[in-house]
Structures are given as C-alpha cells and as structure tokens.
Amino acid sequence: MNAIIRIGTSTCGLAAGAEAVADAVETAVKHRKLPVTVQRTGCLGACHREPLVDVHHDGTATLYGPVTPEQVEPLLDQHFGAGGAAPQEWVVSRRADRSDYPFLARQVKVTTQLCGLIDPHSLEDYLAHDGYQGLRLALGMAPEKVIQIVKDSRLRGRGGAGFPTGLKWEISQRQPGKPKYIICNADEGDPGAFMDRSMIEGDPHRLLEGMLIAAWAIGASIGYLYVRAEYPLAIKALRTAIEQAGRYGVTGKNILGSGMDFEFIIKEGAGAFVCGEETALMQSIEGYRGMPRMRPPYPSEAGLWGRPTSINNVETFASVASILLHGPEWFSQMGTANSGGTKTFALAGAIENSGLVEVPIGRPLREIIFDVGAGCRDGRAVKAVQLGGPSGGCIPASMLDTLIDYEDLRATGAIMGSGGMIAMDEGTCMVDMARYFLTFTQHESCGKCVPCRVGTRKMLGMLTAICQGRATLETVEQLKRLCETVQKASLCGLGVTAPNPVLTTLRYFEDEYLAHIVDKRCPAGACQMP
C-alpha cells in the first residue's frame, strides 16, 4: 500500500497557509517520484495547530503542525529519504488513534469522524467508509421503522432547543398529501461558530445521506440546503457531492430501486442572522424577506409553501446514517437519559487549544475547557464560558462542573444552541461582553415585532451607559425588567433569547455592574470610564 500524506485544506487550514503547504508537498512528491498519495482533506479539528500534515507510512501515523512550506522537504526526508527526526515542536501526534494528544484523544467522533480523513470531493472515499450504507438499510425498512429507530436513539435537534428529531419526523410523516419538504438549516450565523462549515467542507456526503434518510422517513421529494453565501468552500463541496450522488443513483428518480424520488436544491442565504430561525428561513426560500411568522402551525404541519416540512441542522442530519448503521442503542448510550449521542462545539476565545470539539452529551463543561482546551492562554485564569452564541448565556468558572446537556445548561440561564463555546479569561469585562452580543442581536433584528425592535435597542443603550459610567442603580433594575419583557413578548427566538447574555451576566457578575455604576471603575480595565 502506498503511503498517504493528508493536508487539511478547509477554511481554517487555508487561512493558516495550507494551500502553499499542499502545493509544496505535491511538488516535492512528484519531483522525488515517491509512491505517495497526496490527499487534500477537511478539518481534523485541531485548528490551533493548522496547517496540519498527516503522514501515514510503514505503519506509522504522524501528525505535524503547524507546517510551513519550508518544512516539507525535511519531513519527506525523515519518512522517505535521509532519515532523522523532526523537531518535537513540529509533532502533534505519533499515534493513529491520537491518544497522545489530549485535544483529540478525549473526543468521540460521530458526525466529524471522516473530517480530515477523506477527500471531501471524492465519492469513492466516502463509499470506502460505509458511505450510503445507512441509506440502503433505511430504504429496506418501512418509514415508520426508520422513525422509531431515530426516536429510540434519543437524537435531539442540534440547532438550538433540542426538540426530539424522531418526533419531528413523525409529525411530518403523518400529515396527508404531497409534496413534503426536507430543509437543512446551515445558516450558521453565530459569532465564533464554525461547526456546520467544517462538517460540510470535510464530509458533505454524510449530510446528504442523512437528508435522504429523513426524506424516506417522512415522504419528502425535495430537500433544500440553506447555506450562508459566506461559505463558498462548503457550497462548492455540496455542489460536487450532489452531482456525484446523482451519478451514483442516490438522487433523482427511483433511488436504488426503492421507488423514492428526490432532488436537492441549494439556497444561498444573504447573511441575515434571523434566517437561522426556521420560519424566517422558509420565508427566504420562498423569495420573501426573511422575517419570522407566528406559530402554530409549526413547519412539521404547514411549512414551506404551506406543506409539511421537517427542518434540522447539519449536525442533526450528520448523525443519522451512523444511527442506522450501528443501531439506536449504540448512539443513545453515549449520551444521557434524555439526550443521545455526541455534540460538536466550536471552541474559541481566550482558550489555549481552539478548534472543533465533539464529545458525548453529558460530559462536564470543565472537561472541554481544561482537558481538551488546556485552559486559557498564557496561564490566565478562566473567568467564564459563553455558550450558545448571541442567544446563549455566560457561565462562571465556579459552575464548570455543569453537564453539557440541554436541561442542565438551561438551568444556568445558558443554552446549548448550535454549539458555539467561547472561553473568557480574567481580562474580560462581563458587562462589555453582554453589550457586544446585544450589539449583534440588535443589529440583526428583523424589526417585525416591537419588543425585539425597540427593546433590544433600549437594552443596548442601557448597557452602553453602564460601560461608560453614565448609569445609575435604577438603570440596572430597568434593564432587568426590560429583559423580562423582551423575553416574554418577542415573536421569534431571536428576541426571546436576546436578553440571555445580559441576564446571565447580571446573575453571576452583578458586582461588575455595580463597580461600573458606583465606583465608576471597570474591574477588567476594558471599558473607557470618565
């Protein structure tokens, strides 16, 4: 078997210089006439060590990073020429299972298992790793049986509230009439989030297979992939995968002889954060301005063009094929009593080891921050962790033993959300952090309902006054009341969750608010005070 050299060339790798490294590897291998397969892959997850080069040769599996073009020749010498040993600081891992690198060793990969391992533009690579075998199994079952398997797995929607996926499919499946629709929500708009992008760029066929299984389960004939236009590599990967799937016979008419007809349509979103909300997303697909609408009826009953529609995000669909292949018990035992499987997070902020992290649901937050992420940079103390993006909340370091589960996180005032996780050190002002996230949600409000349109602007004004030392103690009480009003009266999830960063920082870091107001001092030294 020829040796294999893999270079991670998804967005994170390219931003770090992986294109030049990949070109250098390909040029050197060709010049030396080495029996080596050079493969451009997606993201392995260890973004903090990009560009990554993975060399498999003579029973060894050595991962290097960050690698520069100048380091390519010495690496090839070590494995295919003069010998010697690369400096230890170049080496990320020397074991195939990555057990010698905590960031990767402590993960359990389901949705990201092939990211960094296969060429995302190669159908043959995907087929070599049981690709579309889950679909074949599903097509041999009654749709009701497929739905029951997903229900037994305890898979919950990975995009926000965690609604049981099998139940959502069942509601759509029971609705009469045709057509029915499947929608993948890949409108990943949270600041710092990159889970969907990495999965699509690294393993697009897994997403398509999950959508096809869902389509068989509910009786859908059309699937929309709603992807933000700022993800050109992901869109390119999907277009290639859809074309390949058509040639392979898993799209179009009479898929694999099952009598099922299905087609994929890519819809590029224009960057409106509110279109991550399912009803606004459907408005956008229909050609209207992306604005939410009242529920009920819910999309499962009357969604796209008034027809039954099942909407899930990338990670949810990416879990489905593995559930069919390995069984619902295998998936459910990785989670908790209420939530099966794994959850993927985009770990960012002041963390030492940033990147894509996939762990079983139910693990303590502390394990991700310290065992996987290695704590904050430069040995600084962890002050808080923000979960769930602008819709989430801030959890103080004293609560890092909280389990990563929908109910446990909700009890803290935070949410699981789509999986953004931002670590903050002692140099972070929590009042300013709340103001930052509210600036985002206020800007992204569609303006349809008064509580969100006016309420977020008023809240932002109060937070700005506090950060600038212009507020009074009464401002804090007004802010709390306004947060509660916006939560209760807003039309969609954007407004309902917009106060979360404010309420959680008030709950756990009220002393910082008081320092700004009473002492005219920012404890973190981040705010410009008079």
Side-chain angles (χ1 to χ4, degrees), residues 337-361:
N338 296 319
S339 307
T342 60
K343 179 72 187 79
T344 304
F345 294 94
L347 183 59
I351 201 75
E352 181 72 30
N353 295 337
S354 60
L356 201 65
V357 178
E358 185 172 4
V359 294
I361 289 178

Side-chain angles (χ1 to χ4, degrees), residues 463-526:
L463 286 169
T464 301
I466 295 172
C467 287
Q468 294 177 352
R470 298 185 288 106
T472 66
L473 292 176
E474 179 61 23
T475 305
V476 175
E477 297 306 315
Q478 292 173 347
L479 182 59
K480 290 178 180 179
R481 292 195 296 270
L482 184 54
C483 284
E484 293 170 359
T485 299
V486 172
Q487 274 189 330
K488 293 176 181 178
S490 292
L491 175 62
C492 82
L494 187 150
V496 170
T497 59
N500 282 350
V502 184
L503 290 172
T504 51
T505 51
L506 278 168
R507 179 176 175 182
Y508 301 118
F509 301 96
E510 189 171 18
D511 58 318
E512 292 199 26
Y513 281 81
L514 297 178
H516 283 74
I517 294 170
V518 177
D519 302 331
K520 306 300 181 185
R521 176 181 62 87
C522 175

Side-chain angles (χ1 to χ4, degrees), residues 267-281:
K267 168 67 175 179
E268 295 185 35
F273 179 66
V274 72
C275 286
E277 196 276 336
E278 59 185 11
T279 61
L281 183 153

Side-chain angles (χ1 to χ4, degrees), residues 60-408:
T60 65
T62 310
L63 182 65
Y64 299 95
V67 176
T68 66
E70 294 73 27
Q71 292 172 328
V72 168
E73 292 287 354
L75 288 183
L76 293 181
D77 282 341
Q78 177 185 346
H79 289 278
F80 308 101
Q88 181 58 38
E89 59 266 24
W90 295 10
V91 179
V92 177
S93 169
R94 296 187 185 275
R95 297 180 183 175
D97 62 1
R98 307 308 179 205
S99 59
D100 55 340
Y101 192 59
F103 179 87
L104 297 172
R106 293 182 177 273
Q107 298 190 43
V108 177
K109 293 178 177 284
V110 175
T111 60
T112 63
Q113 61 182 284
L114 298 183
C115 293
L117 181 63
I118 64 170
D119 177 354
H121 297 282
S122 169
L123 173 63
E124 290 72 22
D125 273 11
Y126 185 65
L127 295 177
H129 293 84
D130 295 324
Y132 291 109
Q133 292 304 309
L135 174 62
R136 290 181 182 275
L137 289 174
L139 293 177
M141 304 176 186
E144 293 81 4
K145 175 63 174 176
V146 175
I147 290 173
Q148 189 59 51
I149 288 174
V150 175
K151 290 173 72 173
D152 291 344
S153 74
R154 299 200 295 271
L155 173 65
R156 296 170 67 173
R158 299 296 195 245
F163 191 83
T165 302
L167 178 57
K168 178 182 284 190
W169 292 5
E170 185 175 57
I171 295 170
S172 293
Q173 193 266 341
R174 289 180 175 177
Q175 304 305 309
K178 299 279 187 177
K180 297 178 181 180
Y181 298 97
I182 289 288
I183 296 178
C184 174
N185 182 352
D187 189 56
E188 188 173 51
D190 290 5
F194 48 89
M195 300 78 60
D196 292 353
R197 171 182 61 74
S198 297
M199 291 181 193
I200 296 173
E201 290 177 357
D203 191 6
H205 281 285
R206 181 175 298 273
L207 168 58
L208 300 188
E209 184 173 7
M211 292 180 67
L212 285 162
I213 293 170
W216 172 254
I218 76 166
S221 56
I222 297 176
Y224 281 89
L225 294 127
Y226 193 95
V227 187
R228 57 187 305 186
E230 296 94 332
Y231 284 175
L233 292 183
I235 292 171
K236 179 182 178 181
L238 283 174
R239 293 195 190 283
T240 301
I242 291 170
E243 180 185 355
Q244 293 171 341
R247 294 200 304 267
Y248 186 63
V250 291
T251 64
K253 301 292 185 181
N254 192 26
I255 292 172
L256 299 179
S258 65
M260 172 186 170
D261 301 336
F262 192 79
E263 65 172 311
F264 289 101
I265 300 173
I266 296 175
K267 168 67 175 179
E268 295 185 35
F273 179 66
V274 72
C275 286
E277 196 276 336
E278 59 185 11
T279 61
L281 183 153
M282 291 187 296
Q283 288 279 98
S284 178
I285 291 177
E286 291 173 1
Y288 301 104
R289 180 181 177 187
M291 301 178 79
R293 58 180 184 237
M294 291 291 293
R295 296 177 298 179
Y298 290 92
S300 296
E301 301 167 317
L304 197 62
W305 289 293
R307 303 304 308 161
T309 304
S310 189
I311 305 178
N312 292 110
N313 81 330
V314 173
E315 189 177 355
T316 310
F317 284 124
S319 302
V320 173
S322 293
I323 293 172
L324 267 293
L325 280 173
H326 302 294
E329 296 81 9
W330 165 82
F331 191 80
S332 63
Q333 71 182 2
M334 285 190 284
T336 65
N338 296 319
S339 307
T342 60
K343 179 72 187 79
T344 304
F345 294 94
L347 183 59
I351 201 75
E352 181 72 30
N353 295 337
S354 60
L356 201 65
V357 178
E358 185 172 4
V359 294
I361 289 178
R363 293 275 181 89
L365 186 56
R366 182 181 302 278
E367 181 175 320
I368 293 183
I369 298 301
F370 290 104
D371 296 343
V372 176
C376 285
R377 290 190 295 269
D378 302 321
R380 305 190 73 167
V382 176
K383 184 174 186 177
V385 177
Q386 209 277 348
L387 278 162
S391 303
C394 297
I395 298 176
S398 60
M399 297 179 66
L400 289 182
D401 289 322
T402 300
L403 300 184
I404 299 170
D405 190 24
Y406 294 94
E407 287 73 25
D408 289 61

